[in-house]
Every structure is written in C-alpha cells, then in structure tokens.
Amino acid sequence: MTGGVAYAVAGGQQYGVAYQLDGATHNNPQDNLNLPFPFPDALQEFSVSTSGLSANTGMHAGAAVNAVTKSGTNRFAGNAFEFLRDKRFNATSPFALTGPDGERQNDGLLRNQFGGTFGGPILRDRMFFFGGYQGTRVRLTPASNIAYVPTPAMLRGDFTALASPACNSGRQVALRAPFVDNRVDPALFSKAALNVAARLPTTSPDPCGKITYSDSDDENAWQSVGRLDYQLSGNHSMSVFTRATVHKEDPAYRVTGNLLNTSNPGGDKTAQSLALGDTIVFGSNTVHSLRFAFNRTAITRSQEPFFDATDLGIDFYSYMPNEMVLTVLDGFSVGGGTSTTAKYDTNSYQLTQDVAMVRGSHQLALGANVAYWKSLQTSHQRSGGNWSFDGSITGLGLADFMLGRLAQLEHGGPGGANMTQLYMGMFAQDAWRASSRITVNVGLRWEPFLGQ
C-alpha cells in the first residue's frame, strides 16, 4: 500500500475497506480506495480487522486497516536501506521474443528501492521529530506481449491462411461476401485501414500474423514522511504529520516507438497528507482525541501523441487530437479507454473527535467525524472515438478491419465532473466485560448519506 495499491480483504471489495493513518481517515474520496501509506520503515504499528468491526469504523463494511507513523524519542536513531532486483535473477517467459542467438529475451527488470529514516529529540522529554525518505526506480521491458496484425498475404487480399484451422483453434472459417475462396480484391480495402497497417510493426513469417513484442514499464517514485510530537504536559500532547508520494511514468509509446504500446499510458501522480492531532488524558480512565486532516491527490494520465481519425483520412472530429481507440477482435489494439489523456484532482478535509472512557467493566467510546471533499475530473475516454471491429461482417476481425467494416463507434466530448460532498458520522461503542469469559460489544452509528 505504500505505492497506493489497493487490496480486497476477507473476500470484500477493494473499496469496502476503511483506512486510518494516525487517527485520521485515509481513503481517497475519488474512488474510495486507500491513499498511499508510509513505507514500512516509517510505520510503528499496523493492524487489520476483518470481522466484528466497531461502530467507529463507518463508511466501509469489509474491513478496517489502522496504521501509526513512527515518532522520535529521546535517543537519536535512524537507518538506511537499499533493495535491488535484477533481470539476471528472474525466470524468462516462454512467450518472450527470441534474439538473433536463439535465446529468449528477459524482462529487462532493474528495480532499485532505497531510503532511510532518522528521528530524535528537539527538546528532551518535550519535543521529538521523525523523518523518512524512500525512492523507487524501476526499469522493465516485458517481452511477452502478443498481437495479430495484417500479413503481406492479407495486404494482397489473400486471407486463406488466416481463415484456416491453424489460425482458428482447429476451426475452418469461410469468410462471407465480398470474399470468394477467402480472397478479396485489395482495391476494396479501406484507405484508413491501410494507413494504420503501415504504422504497425512488421510481422514474422507467421501466417496468422502473430507477433510478440516488448513493452515498456519504467517508473520513478519517491515518498517523504515527517512527524513532529510535542508533549505540553504529562497528560497533554500534540502531533503534526506530513507525507508526500510522487509517482511518474512515461508513456510506453514514447519509449519504444511501437504503436501497439499506446495501450500503456504514462502518469504523473501526487498524493499529499497533513494531519494535526491533539490528545488529552483526564485522570486514569478518560482520553480525548481531536484530529484534523487534509488529503490531496493530483493524478494526470498522459499519452504520447500518435494519430487520430483525421490523420487516417476519415472526416471525423476529435476532441483530443492525436489520440483514438482502435480495437480489432483477435487482432490488435491501438490506445485504450483507460489509456487516454485524463486528469483527476481531489481535496478532502476532515475533523474527528473521539472520547474513550473506562467505567467499571465498561469500555466506552464516543466520537464524531465531519468531512468535506471536492473532486475535479476530466477524461478523454471517447474524445477521439472508440472504433471496434469484431468480425461480425465477414467472420474475422482482421478482415472486417481491412475492409473498413466497423462494428461499433463510440464518440463523445470530454467527460467531466466537478463534485463536492459533505460527510458526517457519529458513534457510540461499549465493550462490556460481562465475566472473565464473556465480552459483549455493542455499538450504534448514525451516518446519513448526503448526496454529491
């Protein structure tokens, strides 16, 4: 979760898990998944609850994850680390490209993760600091991607090999009109299809048009964590926590120049958090906690420009020049709905108050949480058109594509959303130790839904 990866817990949905970091909610309102957590060397505690959740969780029913950042102490202490993974220690995919020497290419992996932490006193017994940094550099070239593209024979109008059982899992395909004996006059081919075919990687002698190609998945990421704790008195403490995570990745097409890599977009993702905490202990049986938190995410999905329908000779308006989505069933894909240019910015503010008390055999908890978030989103998923060829006209997707027989076209302007939402919840919880063997947990939560 340090990189913002979300996980399903106990068979629930990924967005059904409640996350807390240093007493403040750590879910992203944009998708209800977790925000990036501090890297392991910066974590003091970590717990996961999957059943019998208490009433203070709210919003999510699947599970609850709670984490606490490390604090400084009266002793200066720190650490440094570096982890390295290298392609030479990885197994080679049996579907990878074969080099001139007959050896299959490896995945080119080079992953370097490094960083450290340091903490100590500013004022002995009163004020402490803690900080940490982690950087991650990944260079990866997967070499086992498979696609089927038009062969020289297909470009001459000969589809007999493509329609044969060898290319259709043992099934002979008889292409429908205007094909005769699985051949067609190349003059009937779509000029736009020929334009795309000229930009695709050339095929090997494989009669089905099968090619294996490399991708690129390079990324650079870093995370910084800082915490300041101040002990005002023996029963009153305050803390400030900050975290920033940045993840950058170039579009694969920019790196490789292979049009088939346009389905792997680039990204520039930033997540920032600020949490302020105030804790007061009243006597030996009452604790009052007040938390304010601000979370910000700024996500930009980018694509290296390649072409749009106009560049292929089609009279068509694109809301996002030099981008489109083209899918050929059992063939190849250019671009993708989740590979188009997009931007998602979300800011959230929250205030949480909790009181924990021990009264005899009862452990009571009362609390309230108020949050407000704002999300501004823009997506070009259909701005350049989503063009689909599925073989419903002739019997094979590549044949439909070469003839320009389109099965479906989705086209629309940029998708946008400017949303705000107010959230509030209050709870009461009682853990009653009825006997040495029986504990009864009873909770009540009021959490009205206030629409976006």
Side-chain angles (χ1 to χ4, degrees):
M1 287 179 292
T2 58
V5 179
Y7 297 92
V9 180
Q13 297 293 334
Q14 293 178 328
Y15 50 78
V17 181
Y19 293 90
Q20 284 196 331
L21 178 63
D22 293 322
T25 300
H26 207 60
N27 286 78
N28 183 9
Q30 191 264 326
D31 53 16
N32 247 354
L33 303 180
N34 62 283
L35 294 166
F37 270 60
F39 56 94
D41 290 66
L43 281 179
Q44 179 68 35
E45 300 175 14
F46 185 88
S47 65
V48 179
S49 302
T50 60
S51 62
L53 301 179
S54 62
N56 68 332
T57 303
M59 294 187 292
H60 305 77
V65 177
N66 186 45
V68 179
T69 311
K70 282 184 178 179
S71 300
T73 65
N74 276 327
R75 182 174 65 91
F76 289 105
N79 76 321
F81 60 87
E82 181 170 358
F83 300 100
L84 178 66
R85 291 182 60 192
D86 190 275
K87 55 184 177 295
R88 290 169 291 185
F89 302 104
N90 286 357
T92 302
S93 170
F95 303 104
L97 290 170
T98 302
D101 57 357
E103 293 291 329
R104 294 198 179 275
Q105 297 180 11
N106 57 48
D107 56 13
L109 176 65
L110 179 61
R111 188 177 192 274
N112 183 220
Q113 193 169 52
F114 54 92
T117 64
F118 187 70
I122 298 177
L123 297 174
R124 189 172 181 81
D125 296 328
R126 301 281 287 182
M127 184 178 292
F128 313 93
F129 76 94
F130 177 84
Y133 173 86
Q134 176 178 275
T136 303
R137 305 288 181 267
V138 179
R139 300 294 178 264
L140 181 63
T141 309
S144 57
N145 298 285
I146 296 175
Y148 294 84
V149 301
T151 64
M154 296 179 207
L155 295 174
R156 295 192 301 268
D158 184 358
F159 287 82
T160 54
L162 181 64
S164 69
C167 298
N168 296 279
S169 302
R171 179 176 62 94
Q172 175 66 49
V173 177
L175 299 182
R176 296 185 285 272
F179 287 89
V180 178
D181 295 329
N182 292 326
R183 297 174 183 270
V184 68
D185 183 356
L188 298 177
F189 285 161
S190 162
K191 293 182 179 179
L194 291 172
N195 204 333
V196 174
R199 303 169 189 243
L200 292 171
T202 56
T203 68
S204 63
D206 186 274
C208 305
K210 177 181 177 180
I211 60 171
T212 305
Y213 62 96
S214 297
D215 205 344
S216 174
D217 196 13
D218 296 348
E219 60 182 71
N220 298 299
W222 62 266
Q223 183 184 82
S224 63
V225 176
R227 177 164 178 158
L228 183 67
D229 293 276
Y230 182 46
Q231 193 75 31
L232 282 77
S233 64
N235 62 352
H236 190 187
S237 62
M238 300 181 68
S239 62
V240 179
F241 164 76
T242 63
R243 178 196 53 79
T245 302
V246 176
H247 181 281
K248 295 186 177 183
E249 187 173 356
D250 285 335
Y253 179 51
R254 179 184 301 169
V255 179
T256 66
N258 184 345
L259 186 62
L260 299 179
N261 292 146
T262 53
S263 60
N264 188 356
D268 188 344
K269 307 173 185 178
T270 300
Q272 297 169 302
S273 297
L274 170 67
L276 308 176
D278 183 276
T279 302
I280 303 177
V281 179
F282 297 97
S284 59
N285 54 15
T286 303
V287 179
H288 174 269
S289 299
L290 184 65
R291 297 285 186 273
F292 169 79
F294 168 74
N295 292 317
R296 171 182 178 268
T297 58
I299 300 173
T300 299
R301 190 173 65 211
S302 60
Q303 180 61 266
E304 183 72 6
F306 49 99
F307 56 75
D308 56 39
T310 304
D311 299 320
L312 302 177
I314 303 173
D315 186 10
F316 184 87
Y317 180 79
S318 175
Y319 292 91
M320 190 65 193
N322 301 314
E323 281 188 27
M324 65 182 299
V325 179
L326 172 63
T327 304
V328 180
L329 183 66
D330 296 327
F332 64 92
S333 297
V334 175
T338 57
S339 304
T340 52
T341 299
K343 188 173 180 60
Y344 306 91
D345 293 337
T346 303
N347 293 333
S348 66
Y349 310 82
Q350 59 175 297
L351 184 65
T352 303
Q353 185 176 32
D354 296 301
V355 178
M357 299 175 290
V358 176
R359 296 292 185 270
S361 58
H362 295 268
Q363 184 173 337
L364 306 172
L366 306 171
N369 185 5
V370 178
Y372 173 82
W373 48 72
K374 179 180 179 65
S375 184
L376 182 61
Q377 308 172 20
T378 303
S379 174
H380 288 279
Q381 187 169 356
R382 295 177 177 83
S383 293
N386 290 8
W387 309 71
S388 300
F389 300 86
D390 63 2
S392 59
I393 308 298
T394 65
L396 289 175
L398 279 172
D400 281 9
F401 166 71
M402 292 304 301
L403 289 169
R405 300 299 181 88
L406 188 67
Q408 182 177 355
L409 170 62
E410 295 182 353
H411 184 219
N418 186 358
M419 298 183 296
T420 61
Q421 187 169 12
L422 178 66
Y423 163 82
M424 62 177 64
M426 293 188 293
F427 75 92
Q429 180 78 30
D430 182 12
W432 173 39
R433 191 168 181 80
S435 70
S436 60
R437 296 185 177 183
I438 299 176
T439 300
V440 180
N441 289 285
V442 179
L444 179 66
R445 186 175 184 89
W446 179 71
E447 190 177 84
F449 176 78
L450 305 175
Q452 295 174 342

